[in-house]
Amino acid sequence: MEDKHKFKDSSQVSVSSFLNNNKNNTQFFVWKEFLFGAAAGGFGEGMMHPIDTIKTRMQSQAILSEAKPAKSILEMVRKVWAVDGYRGLYRGVTPALTGSLATGATYFGVIESTKKWIEELHPNLGGHWAYFIAGGAGDTLGSFIYVPCEVVKQRMQVQGTKKSWSSMAMKENVCQKSGGQMYVYYSGIFQAGSSIWKQQGLRGLYAGYWSTLARDVPFAGLMVTFYESLRDFAEYGKQRWLPNSDIQPSNSVEGLLLGGLAGGFSAYLTTPLDVIKTRLQVQGPIVRYKGWLDAVTRIWMIEGGRGLFRGSVPRVIWYVPASALTFMAVEFLRDTFGTEVDSNEVTNLSIDKTSTTLPEVA
C-alpha cells in the first residue's frame, strides 16, 4: 500500500513538474514575441524610411508656403534629392526606428496573449474580432512611445538637412501660410525632443495623439485581421486545389506575401486618418487646425476627397514592403528561435513504468 502511494505521489509530481515547465516556456515565448516584434518593426522601418519621407513631404505641402508644390511622387523625389541628396531621404530615421521598435514589440507581443484572453472570456468575440481587438490593443500600448517619436520624425523629415534649412529658399518654404517660422532646426532626436518640450510642453510632444490612435488602432486591427484571413484563405486553397501537392511554402514566404497584401489594404483604407494626423503634428506652435474634426472639415471644404487621400500611393508603396518584411521577419524568427509549447502534449503524458516498482500481489 505504501508503494502504491509512492507511485501516485511520483506521478503527480511528474505531471505538476511538466505543467510548471509548460507555463514557464509559454511565458518565455510571450517575451520572445516582444523581442521578435521589435526586431521586425525596426527592420521594416529602416528599409522603407525614404518612402515615408516622401509621403510626409507630400501630405504636409498644404500647410507650408511652397511656391511650387510637387504634384507627383517622382517630382517630390527629384525635389528632395536635388536639395538634400540621400541624407534628406533618411532624415528622421533615428526617431522612426525608436518608435518602430516600441510599436513592433507591443504589437506582436500583445496580439497573441490578448487574442487568447478574449477567446477564453468572450467566445462570441473569437475569430476575426479577436484579431482586430488584439491588434488595436497592441498598437495602443506602443503609442505612448511611438507618438513623440513620430512628431520628431515628421518635423525632421519636413526640415531636410541643415544646409537646405539655412538657405533663403528653404526659409520661405518652412513658414506657414499664416506667417511665422514653425520651429528651429533639429540636430537630432534628443535636441528635437527638448526643444519641443521647452516650446510647447508635453502637448507638443503628443501633438495629434488622438488622431494617431484614430489612425493606428483601426490600421493595426485591420492589418492583423486581413493577415489572419488571408492565411486562412491560403490554407483553404491548398487543401481544396493542391491536396496532394508537395509544394509547402515556408511561414516566412507566407508572411512576406500575405503581410504585404494585408499592409497595403489597411494602409489605403486608413489614408484619410493619416493625412489628418500628419498635418496636426507638422503644423507646430502656429495652429492652422484646431483639432481632429476641424482638420477633417477644412480639408474636405478646401481640397475635397482628393485632399483626404493625398499621399495614399506612397503610403501604400511604403506599407506593402514594410509589412511584408515585418511579417516575414517575425515568422522567420518564430521558426528559428520560437519554442511555443503545444498544450495537447499534456494529454499525451505517459508514465515510465520502469522507473517505479509496484508490489506483486500474491
Side-chain angles (χ1 to χ4, degrees):
M1 181 66 68
E2 182 179 357
D3 289 337
K4 288 184 179 180
H5 284 298
K6 287 182 180 179
F7 174 77
K8 184 178 180 181
D9 293 340
S10 176
S11 302
Q12 291 176 339
V13 170
S14 299
V15 174
S16 176
S17 177
F18 179 86
L19 292 175
N20 288 332
N21 290 334
N22 185 44
K23 182 179 180 181
N24 293 334
N25 287 337
T26 302
Q27 292 174 345
F28 183 60
F29 178 77
V30 172
W31 280 109
K32 280 187 175 181
E33 287 288 297
F34 278 89
L35 296 176
F36 295 166
F43 177 68
E45 174 65 40
M47 294 289 289
M48 301 306 300
H49 186 75
I51 303 297
D52 184 62
T53 299
I54 299 301
K55 182 217 66 159
T56 301
R57 291 281 190 101
M58 293 190 70
Q59 290 181 340
S60 61
Q61 286 184 114
I63 63 173
L64 303 176
S65 58
E66 299 194 49
K68 295 181 179 180
K71 296 181 180 180
S72 66
I73 297 174
L74 291 178
E75 187 178 350
M76 179 58 77
V77 171
R78 288 195 295 265
K79 184 177 181 179
V80 175
W81 186 267
V83 178
D84 296 323
Y86 76 92
R87 292 180 62 187
L89 294 173
Y90 278 94
R91 181 78 171 135
V93 68
T94 302
L97 287 174
T98 304
S100 293
L101 289 173
T103 304
T106 53
Y107 184 71
F108 287 99
V110 172
I111 280 177
E112 287 299 321
S113 55
T114 303
K115 179 172 66 67
K116 292 176 182 177
W117 176 73
I118 291 173
E119 290 176 341
E120 289 176 1
L121 295 183
H122 304 282
N124 294 331
L125 293 177
H128 299 314
W129 275 113
Y131 292 130
F132 186 90
I133 296 173
D139 210 85
T140 300
L141 290 176
S143 67
F144 295 105
I145 298 176
Y146 172 74
V147 173
C149 291
E150 183 76 357
V151 172
V152 172
K153 180 206 74 172
Q154 292 193 327
R155 293 191 183 184
M156 292 177 72
Q157 286 175 321
V158 170
Q159 287 182 333
T161 62
K162 189 173 184 178
K163 180 180 178 181
S164 62
W165 181 264
S166 301
S167 67
M168 289 301 296
M170 284 301 297
K171 282 183 179 179
E172 295 177 357
N173 292 342
V174 295
C175 297
Q176 293 187 322
K177 293 179 179 179
S178 58
Q181 188 167 326
M182 294 171 68
Y183 26 72
V184 299
Y185 181 78
Y186 301 137
S187 59
I189 181 173
F190 295 109
Q191 188 268 337
S194 62
S195 177
I196 296 172
W197 176 268
K198 291 178 182 178
Q199 191 174 20
Q200 297 176 264
L202 190 65
R203 187 174 183 177
L205 288 173
Y206 281 90
Y209 178 77
W210 295 112
S211 62
T212 300
L213 285 186
R215 179 201 68 171
D216 286 351
V217 169
F219 171 80
L222 285 172
M223 184 164 68
V224 71
T225 302
F226 279 138
Y227 181 69
E228 295 297 337
S229 298
L230 289 169
R231 288 186 66 182
D232 292 342
F233 181 76
E235 185 63 29
Y236 171 79
K238 286 188 292 186
Q239 295 178 0
R240 177 70 182 274
W241 294 295
L242 300 171
N244 300 320
S245 176
D246 295 331
I247 302 175
Q248 292 294 332
S250 65
N251 290 330
S252 299
V253 173
E254 283 194 350
L256 181 70
L257 299 176
L258 304 183
L261 290 174
F265 293 150
S266 305
Y268 182 78
L269 292 175
T270 56
T271 296
L273 303 174
D274 184 55
V275 172
I276 296 166
K277 179 203 72 72
T278 298
R279 295 197 183 178
L280 288 173
Q281 291 180 331
V282 168
Q283 67 179 349
I286 303 174
V287 177
R288 178 180 174 85
Y289 303 113
K290 297 179 181 179
W292 198 86
L293 290 177
D294 183 54
V296 173
T297 304
R298 289 172 64 86
I299 293 172
W300 179 262
M301 291 177 61
I302 298 173
E303 305 171 57
R306 187 173 183 179
L308 289 173
F309 278 90
R310 193 175 299 279
S312 60
V313 175
R315 177 170 165 79
V316 171
I317 291 175
W318 188 91
Y319 267 107
V320 167
S323 301
L325 292 171
T326 299
F327 278 101
M328 180 194 72
V330 167
E331 295 294 352
F332 173 78
L333 291 170
R334 284 172 176 170
D335 290 343
T336 306
F337 302 105
T339 54
E340 185 175 16
V341 179
D342 187 357
S343 60
N344 292 329
E345 291 179 8
V346 178
T347 61
N348 296 329
L349 279 177
S350 60
I351 300 172
D352 187 359
K353 297 180 180 180
T354 61
S355 62
T356 305
T357 56
L358 293 176
E360 293 181 1
V361 180

